[in-house]
Amino acid sequence: MKKELTRAEEQIMQAIWTIGKGFAKDIHEQLEEPRPAYNTVLTVIRVLVQKGFVEYKTYGKSNEYSPTITKEEYSAQRFQSLKENYFGNSNAKLLSFFMKENNLDLRDLNELLEIIKKERHD
């Protein structure tokens, strides 16, 4: 499993996931205001390359960056880590917590079950 992203790294990764691939200026433009400094973005991108989250192709003096992991893959890893570290790797404990924290009732749970069943058959 790849390392966990810091808040700044995740912000940059969100931009990269949104554009798919692009140059540093494209990534910088994708960030919400107030944007970090352009040099800060370059520094974070270099860290993401070192961590293995981003790869690049060089065209002259410019690098085109792209993710090595999808947003869905990273989300699944983070979710699994959360489940293991906070809920003893128990789906039941995780779901119970989620239902309590979000004031969900059995009707909501049944709706979730129907969605899951439908997705498994698609």
Side-chain angles (χ1 to χ4, degrees):
M1 181 170 141
K2 295 184 185 293
K3 296 177 181 176
E4 187 176 326
L5 296 170
T6 66
R7 181 177 287 158
E9 292 165 353
E10 190 168 338
Q11 180 185 21
I12 301 299
M13 283 303 299
Q14 292 288 351
I16 295 171
W17 284 322
T18 298
I19 64 174
K21 64 181 176 178
F23 297 92
K25 69 174 184 56
D26 303 320
I27 296 166
H28 186 255
E29 289 171 2
Q30 184 65 37
L31 299 172
E32 292 182 15
E33 294 288 348
R35 291 184 181 107
Y38 182 78
N39 285 340
T40 301
V41 172
L42 287 174
T43 299
V44 173
I45 291 171
R46 276 195 296 276
V47 170
L48 289 168
V49 168
Q50 290 171 350
K51 285 185 167 185
F53 284 97
V54 172
E55 61 187 3
Y56 63 91
K57 291 181 184 174
T58 301
Y59 300 95
K61 294 183 178 182
S62 298
N63 292 329
E64 182 181 47
Y65 300 97
S66 59
T68 61
I69 184 172
T70 66
K71 185 176 184 177
E72 292 75 21
E73 290 168 333
Y74 182 72
S75 297
Q77 288 177 0
R78 294 286 296 131
F79 187 77
Q80 183 61 36
S81 176
L82 178 76
K83 187 174 82 167
E84 289 170 2
N85 293 328
Y86 292 94
F87 301 99
N89 208 25
S90 167
N91 290 328
K93 288 179 183 176
L94 174 72
L95 184 56
S96 174
F97 175 82
F98 181 76
M99 290 184 70
K100 271 191 278 180
E101 287 298 309
N102 292 284
N103 295 321
L104 301 179
D105 59 23
L106 289 178
R107 215 177 2 211
D108 296 315
L109 183 58
N110 285 326
E111 186 178 331
L112 287 170
L113 287 172
E114 289 303 316
I115 292 169
I116 292 167
K117 285 178 187 176
K118 183 179 179 204
E119 287 178 356
R120 285 191 175 168
H121 292 290
D122 288 345

